[in-house]
C-alpha cells in the first residue's frame, strides 16, 4: 500500500504496550500492526512549513526562516519555559497565543530513559509527552499553575538532574537502576521553598512498554537531506518517536513537514 503526505509526529495511546498511529495525507496508519513488515519512506525534496511555504529544507525546528524568527510556536520560551512572560502580561511574539499556552497548569516530572531527567509539560500532554520521549517510567513531581513556574523549577533542579537524555542509549535500551521514588525525595529536598507548595503529594509511577521485536545494540541514524533519500527496512520496533528498522533508526518527529511517499507491506 502506498501513501503520500507530509510527516507529522506519531500520536500515541497509553496501554499495556504503547500504541502508535501515523497520519499521512488522509490516512491514519496503526503502526504497531506494521511490525515485521517492510516500511519504505522516500523524501520528495519538499519541506512544508506551517505558514504554507515550501522549501527544500527547513531553517530550524522544522520552520522556515521567517517563521522561526516570528511565530509564537518557535519563540525561545518554547524550549526554555523559564523565559515565559505571559503571567506578567508581557508579550514575546503574540500575547494571546502565549497566554493560552503558558497560563494553564503544567507538570514538572521525572522520567527515566537511560537516566532520570527532569522535564516540563502541560498537564494535558501527560502521559503523551513521556511516550514521545521513549521514557520507560515517569512520575509527576510538581503541578504548577503556569509555564513560568515550571521553568523555574526545572532550572532549580538542573544541577541535580539532567534535562537531556541520550537518544542513542535510549534506543539501545541502556537503562539506569536509579529509583524514581528516591529521585522524587532528592528533588523535593533541593527545591526552593517557594515551589515546595506545588509538590505532588502522592506521586504515581507510570510504566511504558514499547512495541519492540528486536532490540538493537548499534544505532545507525537515517535522516533526510535531499530529494530521493530513503528509509527502507523491516520495522523492528518503535520507541519515542523513532521507527527502529533493520537498516537504521528514523526520527519521525524531526521530519515534521517533510513531504514523503510511504510504502508498507
Ligand atoms: Zn514558515
Amino acid at each position: 500500500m502506498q501513501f503520500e503526505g507530509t510527516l507529522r509526529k506519531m500520536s500515541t495511546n497509553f496501554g499495556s504496550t504503547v500504541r502508535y498511529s501515523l497520519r499521512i495525507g488522509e490516512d491514519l496508519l496503526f503502526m504497531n500492526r506494521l511490525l515485521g513488515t517492510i516500511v519504505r519512506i522516500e523524501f520528495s525534496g519538499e519541506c512544508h512549513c506551517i505558514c504554507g511555504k515550501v522549501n527544500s529544507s527547513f531553517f530550524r525546528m522544522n520552520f522556515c526562516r521567517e517563521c522561526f524568527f516570528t511565530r509564537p510556536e518557535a519563540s525561545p520560551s518554547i524550549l526554555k519555559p523559564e523565559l515565559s512572560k505571559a503571567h506578567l502580561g508581557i508579550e514575546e511574539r503574540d500575547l494571546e497565543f502565549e497566554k493560552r499556552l503558558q497560563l494553564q497548569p503544567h507538570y514538572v516530572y521525572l522520567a527515566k530513559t537511560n537516566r532520570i531527567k527532569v522535564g516540563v509539560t502541560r498537564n494535558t500532554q501527560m502521559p503523551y509527552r513521556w511516550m514521545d520521549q521513549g521514557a520507560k517510567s515517569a512520575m509527576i513531581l510538581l503541578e504548577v499553575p503556569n509555564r513560568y513556574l515550571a521553568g523555574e523549577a526545572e532550572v532549580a533542579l538542573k544541577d541535580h538532574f539532567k534535562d537531556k537524555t541520550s537518544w542513542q542509549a535510549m534506543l539501545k535500551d541502556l537503562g539506569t537502576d536509579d529509583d524514581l521514588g528516591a529521585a522524587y525525595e532528592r528533588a523535593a529536598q533541593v527545591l526552593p521553598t517557594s515551589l515546595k507548595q506545588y509538590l505532588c503529594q502522592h506521586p504515581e509511577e507510570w510504566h511504558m512498554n514499547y512495541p519492540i521485536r528486536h532490540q538493537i545494540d548499534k544505532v545507525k541514524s537515517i535522516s533526510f537531506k535531499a530529494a530521493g533519500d530513503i528509509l527502507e527496512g523491516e520495522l523492528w520496533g518503535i520507541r519515542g518517536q523513532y521507527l527502529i528498522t533493520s537498516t537504521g533508526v528514523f526520527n519521525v518527529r524531526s521530519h515534521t513537514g517533510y513531504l514523503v511517499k510511504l510504502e508498507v507491506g
Side-chain angles (χ1 to χ4, degrees), residues 21 40 47 68 98 130 148 186-188 198 205 225 264:
S21 35
R40 184 178 190 278
C47 292
F68 179 77
E98 285 144 13
W130 300 335
Y148 170 75
R186 211 162 75 233
Y198 302 115
E205 190 166 334
K225 306 260 183 325
V264 295

Side-chain angles (χ1 to χ4, degrees), residues 50-264:
I50 53 168
C51 64
K53 271 187 219 143
V54 179
N55 291 308
S56 59
S57 63
F58 285 117
F59 180 65
R60 250 177 252 167
M61 284 169 68
N62 302 70
F63 292 108
C64 72
R65 189 185 174 92
E66 191 185 335
C67 287
F68 179 77
F69 287 111
T70 59
R71 294 283 290 229
E73 294 91 339
S75 75
S77 68
I78 296 290
L79 291 182
K80 295 189 166 184
E82 70 271 23
L83 300 178
S84 300
K85 293 190 177 73
H87 64 292
L88 303 172
I90 298 174
E91 177 174 85
E92 277 179 90
R93 292 180 175 183
D94 175 344
L95 189 56
E96 284 315 306
F97 176 97
E98 285 144 13
K99 277 184 174 170
R100 272 198 310 278
L101 180 83
Q102 297 174 18
L103 304 185
Q104 56 170 309
H106 278 66
Y107 289 130
V108 181
Y109 60 83
L110 298 169
K112 189 148 104 175
T113 46
N114 65 307
R115 56 160 73 104
I116 294 179
K117 67 160 251 166
V118 60
V120 163
T121 186
R122 275 168 286 157
N123 65 353
T124 52
Q125 294 305 302
M126 194 278 298
Y128 309 106
R129 181 62 182 264
W130 300 335
M131 297 187 277
D132 282 350
Q133 291 175 335
K136 275 240 154 138
S137 55
M139 186 182 267
I140 294 166
L141 176 67
L142 303 170
E143 183 175 4
V144 294
N146 64 49
R147 188 170 172 83
Y148 170 75
L149 285 171
E152 202 180 31
E154 195 180 36
V155 169
L157 294 168
K158 228 169 221 168
D159 293 338
H160 305 272
F161 296 93
K162 303 278 179 189
D163 60 353
K164 294 217 163 45
T165 55
S166 152
W167 58 271
Q168 293 95 336
M170 182 269 285
L171 291 171
K172 288 186 217 165
D173 203 26
L174 304 178
T176 167
D177 292 332
D178 293 352
D179 178 63
L180 272 181
Y184 174 97
E185 296 301 331
R186 211 162 75 233
Q189 272 177 13
V190 297
L191 270 179
T193 316
S194 60
L195 290 170
K196 285 190 180 172
Q197 59 180 306
Y198 302 115
L199 273 172
C200 177
Q201 292 306 324
H202 303 286
E204 186 189 344
E205 190 166 334
W206 289 64
H207 293 274
M208 275 64 71
N209 290 305
Y210 297 92
I212 292 173
R213 282 198 180 178
H214 296 286
Q215 182 53 56
I216 51 171
D217 52 16
K218 283 201 186 86
V219 175
K220 182 185 169 226
S221 173
I222 293 172
S223 60
F224 294 160
K225 306 260 183 325
D229 282 357
I230 284 173
L231 165 80
E232 185 168 17
E234 185 184 333
L235 186 62
W236 283 352
I238 310 175
R239 185 167 170 185
Q241 284 289 328
Y242 285 91
L243 300 178
I244 302 166
T245 78
S246 54
T247 53
V249 303
F250 180 79
N251 185 339
V252 176
R253 185 179 212 165
S254 69
H255 290 86
T256 294
Y258 285 58
L259 180 67
V260 299
K261 269 198 189 117
L262 170 66
E263 252 181 84
V264 295

